[in-house]
Amino acid sequence: MDVNIRMLPEAVAIDRLDNKQQVLEQISGCFADTYGLDRTEVLEGLEQREALGSTGFGRGIAIPHCRSAHVRRPTLALLKLDQPVDFGAADAVPVSLFFGLVSPENAGATHLHALAAISRFARDEAMLQSLVDAPDGEAIFALLTNQFLRDAA
């Protein structure tokens, strides 16, 4: 299934942060800097979604997500932390890989398909280990784009 996720190489960051709020701020900044989205709007959207329950779904992975009228298709950013942080994940495991997702405002099914594609990707043990072992943003971007292109075929 081709969910047509947009991702640019500049949307991959490796950082050291101390808490959930800093993670959400960093992801919002990445969407602003890379895709020209409003940093405050994205941050508020991510915070509102997190208020409903953590997007940390386990195994050190979270998918903070929201919607915006300023994107035409699901748009992805990835943040990898040097040290995991508590993100309130369902399995209580601290999180070090964050797949930030901003989808179009009225993209119900498309948004769900994008979340499902990211979830499938993150459940692949070999791929997850490759992401953890990736030395830099360029290697992470290559892994992500190769996987999503393969899934779309």
Side-chain angles (χ1 to χ4, degrees):
M1 168 189 343
D2 181 4
V3 293
N4 198 17
I5 294 174
R6 178 181 185 206
M7 183 172 195
L8 297 174
E10 299 81 15
V12 177
I14 299 174
D15 209 340
R16 177 173 291 237
L17 302 170
D18 296 323
N19 57 53
K20 185 175 189 171
Q21 186 62 36
Q22 288 179 353
V23 166
L24 296 176
E25 290 170 3
Q26 177 76 358
I27 292 170
S28 300
C30 185
F31 278 112
D33 296 343
T34 304
Y35 301 109
L37 299 178
D38 182 271
R39 180 183 312 257
T40 302
E41 177 193 355
V42 173
L43 179 58
E44 288 173 0
L46 296 176
E47 289 172 339
Q48 287 172 4
R49 173 54 190 86
E50 288 299 320
L52 299 174
S54 177
T55 56
F57 72 88
R59 298 179 35 222
I61 300 165
I63 310 174
H65 58 276
C66 65
R67 297 178 192 231
S68 171
H70 303 289
V71 295
R72 292 185 178 169
R73 63 183 196 206
T75 303
L76 187 66
L78 186 127
L79 173 61
K80 176 182 170 183
L81 297 183
D82 292 333
Q83 297 293 318
V85 297
D86 179 17
F87 209 73
D91 63 357
V93 171
V95 176
S96 60
L97 286 173
F98 299 88
F99 293 84
L101 178 68
V102 177
S103 291
E105 216 167 32
N106 298 316
T110 302
H111 180 68
L112 294 177
H113 289 173
L115 287 170
I118 295 166
S119 178
R120 277 191 308 277
F121 176 82
R123 285 191 193 123
D124 180 322
E125 288 295 330
M127 195 51 62
L128 181 59
Q129 192 59 52
S130 294
L131 281 176
V132 169
D133 294 341
D136 55 30
E138 187 175 309
I140 291 170
F141 180 75
L143 287 166
L144 292 172
T145 55
N146 288 340
Q147 180 71 24
F148 289 130
L149 288 174
R150 187 193 82 196
D151 283 352

